Amino acid sequence: MAPLQILRYPDPRLRTRAQPVGEVTEEIRELVGDMFATMYAAPGVGLSASQVDVHKRIIVVDVSKERNDPHAFINPEIEIIGGTQLLEEGCLSIPGFYETVSRADRIHVRALDEHGEPFSLEAEGFLSVCIQHECDHLEGKLFVDYLSNLKRGRIRKKLAKQQREERVRR
Ligand code: GNR
Ligand code: NI
Protein backbone atom coordinates (compact mmCIF):
# COMPACT_ATOMS: atom_id res chain seq x y z
CA MET A 1 0.00 0.00 0.00
CA ALA A 2 1.54 3.26 -1.14
CA PRO A 3 0.30 6.77 -0.36
CA LEU A 4 -0.67 8.73 -3.47
CA GLN A 5 -0.45 12.46 -4.20
CA ILE A 6 -3.60 14.46 -3.41
CA LEU A 7 -4.79 17.06 -5.95
CA ARG A 8 -5.25 20.55 -4.53
CA TYR A 9 -7.92 23.14 -5.24
CA PRO A 10 -8.22 24.90 -7.67
CA ASP A 11 -6.83 22.04 -9.79
CA PRO A 12 -9.45 21.60 -12.56
CA ARG A 13 -9.10 17.80 -12.40
CA LEU A 14 -11.02 17.93 -9.10
CA ARG A 15 -14.04 18.93 -11.22
CA THR A 16 -14.10 15.63 -13.14
CA ARG A 17 -17.22 13.50 -12.72
CA ALA A 18 -16.13 9.97 -11.73
CA GLN A 19 -17.25 6.89 -13.71
CA PRO A 20 -18.89 3.83 -12.14
CA VAL A 21 -16.68 0.82 -11.39
CA GLY A 22 -17.72 -2.04 -13.71
CA GLU A 23 -16.15 -4.92 -11.82
CA VAL A 24 -14.32 -4.98 -8.49
CA THR A 25 -11.01 -6.46 -9.61
CA GLU A 26 -7.65 -6.97 -7.89
CA GLU A 27 -6.57 -3.65 -9.45
CA ILE A 28 -9.49 -1.89 -7.76
CA ARG A 29 -8.61 -3.55 -4.43
CA GLU A 30 -5.04 -2.28 -4.80
CA LEU A 31 -6.34 1.22 -5.46
CA VAL A 32 -8.55 0.99 -2.36
CA GLY A 33 -5.49 -0.07 -0.32
CA ASP A 34 -3.49 2.89 -1.66
CA MET A 35 -6.41 5.21 -0.88
CA PHE A 36 -6.50 4.02 2.75
CA ALA A 37 -2.72 4.51 2.99
CA THR A 38 -3.14 8.04 1.58
CA MET A 39 -6.04 8.88 3.92
CA TYR A 40 -4.25 7.61 7.07
CA ALA A 41 -0.95 9.31 6.14
CA ALA A 42 -2.61 12.67 5.42
CA PRO A 43 -4.26 12.26 8.01
CA GLY A 44 -7.91 12.53 7.01
CA VAL A 45 -11.22 10.91 7.91
CA GLY A 46 -12.12 10.18 4.28
CA LEU A 47 -10.81 10.25 0.74
CA SER A 48 -12.31 9.97 -2.75
CA ALA A 49 -10.55 8.47 -5.76
CA SER A 50 -11.11 11.83 -7.51
CA GLN A 51 -8.63 13.45 -5.10
CA VAL A 52 -5.86 11.11 -6.24
CA ASP A 53 -6.73 11.77 -9.90
CA VAL A 54 -8.47 8.42 -10.48
CA HIS A 55 -11.94 9.22 -11.76
CA LYS A 56 -13.76 6.10 -10.57
CA ARG A 57 -16.64 6.01 -8.08
CA ILE A 58 -14.73 4.89 -4.97
CA ILE A 59 -14.53 6.48 -1.52
CA VAL A 60 -12.92 5.40 1.74
CA VAL A 61 -13.87 6.58 5.23
CA ASP A 62 -12.67 6.02 8.80
CA VAL A 63 -14.23 8.31 11.40
CA SER A 64 -13.12 6.23 14.41
CA LYS A 65 -10.91 7.81 17.05
CA GLU A 66 -8.59 4.78 17.05
CA ARG A 67 -8.25 4.88 13.23
CA ASN A 68 -9.13 1.21 13.00
CA ASP A 69 -12.56 1.19 11.33
CA PRO A 70 -11.91 1.43 7.58
CA HIS A 71 -14.85 1.38 5.16
CA ALA A 72 -14.62 1.36 1.37
CA PHE A 73 -17.66 2.29 -0.72
CA ILE A 74 -17.62 1.44 -4.42
CA ASN A 75 -20.37 2.98 -6.63
CA PRO A 76 -22.00 4.58 -3.55
CA GLU A 77 -25.60 5.83 -3.82
CA ILE A 78 -27.00 8.14 -1.16
CA GLU A 79 -30.65 8.50 -0.27
CA ILE A 80 -31.51 11.30 2.11
CA ILE A 81 -33.74 10.23 5.00
CA GLY A 82 -34.10 13.60 6.69
CA GLY A 83 -32.93 16.28 9.07
CA THR A 84 -30.20 18.84 8.61
CA GLN A 85 -26.98 19.53 10.42
CA LEU A 86 -24.34 22.24 10.38
CA LEU A 87 -20.74 21.13 10.66
CA GLU A 88 -17.38 22.76 10.11
CA GLU A 89 -15.76 20.97 7.20
CA GLY A 90 -12.23 20.74 5.89
CA CYS A 91 -10.82 18.96 2.85
CA LEU A 92 -7.43 17.43 2.12
CA SER A 93 -7.64 19.12 -1.29
CA ILE A 94 -8.25 22.54 0.33
CA PRO A 95 -5.65 22.51 3.14
CA GLY A 96 -5.91 25.11 5.89
CA PHE A 97 -9.52 26.23 5.28
CA TYR A 98 -12.49 25.24 7.43
CA GLU A 99 -16.06 26.45 6.93
CA THR A 100 -19.49 25.48 8.21
CA VAL A 101 -21.68 23.63 5.71
CA SER A 102 -25.34 22.62 6.00
CA ARG A 103 -26.12 19.04 4.94
CA ALA A 104 -28.69 16.32 5.43
CA ASP A 105 -28.39 14.54 8.76
CA ARG A 106 -29.73 11.02 8.24
CA ILE A 107 -28.84 9.16 5.05
CA HIS A 108 -29.07 5.64 3.65
CA VAL A 109 -26.08 4.50 1.60
CA ARG A 110 -25.91 1.57 -0.81
CA ALA A 111 -22.55 0.51 -2.24
CA LEU A 112 -20.27 -2.42 -3.06
CA ASP A 113 -17.48 -3.37 -0.67
CA GLU A 114 -13.92 -4.18 -1.82
CA HIS A 115 -15.02 -7.77 -2.57
CA GLY A 116 -17.79 -6.56 -4.86
CA GLU A 117 -20.49 -7.46 -2.31
CA PRO A 118 -23.43 -5.07 -2.04
CA PHE A 119 -24.11 -3.61 1.40
CA SER A 120 -26.10 -0.74 2.80
CA LEU A 121 -25.99 1.31 5.95
CA GLU A 122 -27.71 4.20 7.64
CA ALA A 123 -25.58 7.06 8.89
CA GLU A 124 -26.11 10.26 10.81
CA GLY A 125 -23.88 12.92 12.34
CA PHE A 126 -20.21 13.11 11.41
CA LEU A 127 -20.16 9.83 9.45
CA SER A 128 -23.08 11.05 7.35
CA VAL A 129 -21.31 14.36 6.62
CA CYS A 130 -18.12 12.54 5.62
CA ILE A 131 -19.92 10.20 3.25
CA GLN A 132 -21.77 13.14 1.65
CA HIS A 133 -18.51 15.14 1.37
CA GLU A 134 -16.77 12.18 -0.33
CA CYS A 135 -19.69 11.48 -2.69
CA ASP A 136 -19.66 15.16 -3.70
CA HIS A 137 -16.02 14.72 -4.80
CA LEU A 138 -17.16 11.97 -7.20
CA GLU A 139 -19.43 14.59 -8.83
CA GLY A 140 -16.57 17.10 -9.04
CA LYS A 141 -18.09 19.08 -6.20
CA LEU A 142 -16.17 20.58 -3.26
CA PHE A 143 -17.34 21.96 0.10
CA VAL A 144 -16.32 25.48 -0.99
CA ASP A 145 -19.11 25.28 -3.61
CA TYR A 146 -21.58 25.70 -0.70
CA LEU A 147 -19.96 29.01 0.32
CA SER A 148 -20.54 32.47 -1.13
CA ASN A 149 -18.72 33.36 -4.35
CA LEU A 150 -16.75 35.90 -2.35
CA LYS A 151 -15.51 33.38 0.24
CA ARG A 152 -14.74 30.73 -2.38
CA GLY A 153 -12.87 33.28 -4.51
CA ARG A 154 -10.71 34.31 -1.55
CA ILE A 155 -9.82 30.69 -0.77
CA ARG A 156 -9.12 29.99 -4.43
CA LYS A 157 -6.78 32.97 -4.72
CA LYS A 158 -4.84 32.15 -1.55
CA LEU A 159 -4.33 28.49 -2.52
CA ALA A 160 -3.39 29.33 -6.11
CA LYS A 161 -0.79 31.81 -4.81
CA GLN A 162 0.61 29.26 -2.32
CA GLN A 163 1.02 26.72 -5.09
CA ARG A 164 2.69 29.22 -7.42
CA GLU A 165 5.18 30.03 -4.67
CA GLU A 166 5.81 26.35 -3.99
CA ARG A 167 6.52 25.74 -7.67
CA VAL A 168 9.04 28.59 -7.71
CA ARG A 169 10.82 27.19 -4.65
CA ARG A 170 11.03 23.67 -6.12
O1 GNR B 1 -10.26 14.81 6.72
C1 GNR B 1 -11.33 15.34 6.45
N1 GNR B 1 -12.06 15.92 7.44
C2 GNR B 1 -13.36 16.34 7.29
C3 GNR B 1 -13.89 17.13 8.30
C4 GNR B 1 -15.20 17.59 8.21
C5 GNR B 1 -15.97 17.24 7.12
C6 GNR B 1 -15.44 16.46 6.10
C7 GNR B 1 -14.15 16.02 6.19
S1 GNR B 1 -13.50 15.02 4.92
C8 GNR B 1 -11.80 15.41 5.05
C9 GNR B 1 -10.98 14.52 4.12
C10 GNR B 1 -11.33 14.86 2.70
O2 GNR B 1 -11.02 15.89 2.16
N2 GNR B 1 -12.06 14.01 2.06
O3 GNR B 1 -12.47 14.27 0.82
NI1 NI C 1 -12.49 16.42 0.64
Side-chain angles (χ1 to χ4, degrees), residues 118-135:
F119 70 99
S120 74
L121 60 81
E122 277 191 25
E124 60 183 4
F126 188 50
L127 176 60
S128 167
V129 168
C130 285
I131 294 170
Q132 291 176 70
H133 174 117
E134 301 314 335
C135 287

Side-chain angles (χ1 to χ4, degrees), residues 51 91 133 137:
Q51 290 172 282
C91 181
H133 174 117
H137 277 297

Side-chain angles (χ1 to χ4, degrees), residues 109-125:
V109 191
R110 292 157 48 86
L112 303 177
D113 66 16
E114 56 267 65
H115 308 290
E117 293 297 325
F119 70 99
S120 74
L121 60 81
E122 277 191 25
E124 60 183 4

Side-chain angles (χ1 to χ4, degrees), residues 1-2 4 25-36:
M1 291 206 280
L4 306 168
T25 58
E26 197 51 43
E27 189 190 338
I28 296 291
R29 273 187 288 279
E30 271 175 35
L31 171 62
V32 167
D34 290 345
M35 286 173 62
F36 277 121

Side-chain angles (χ1 to χ4, degrees), residues 8 10-16:
R8 276 193 285 165
D11 191 312
R13 291 173 289 182
L14 286 168
R15 298 310 192 174
T16 313

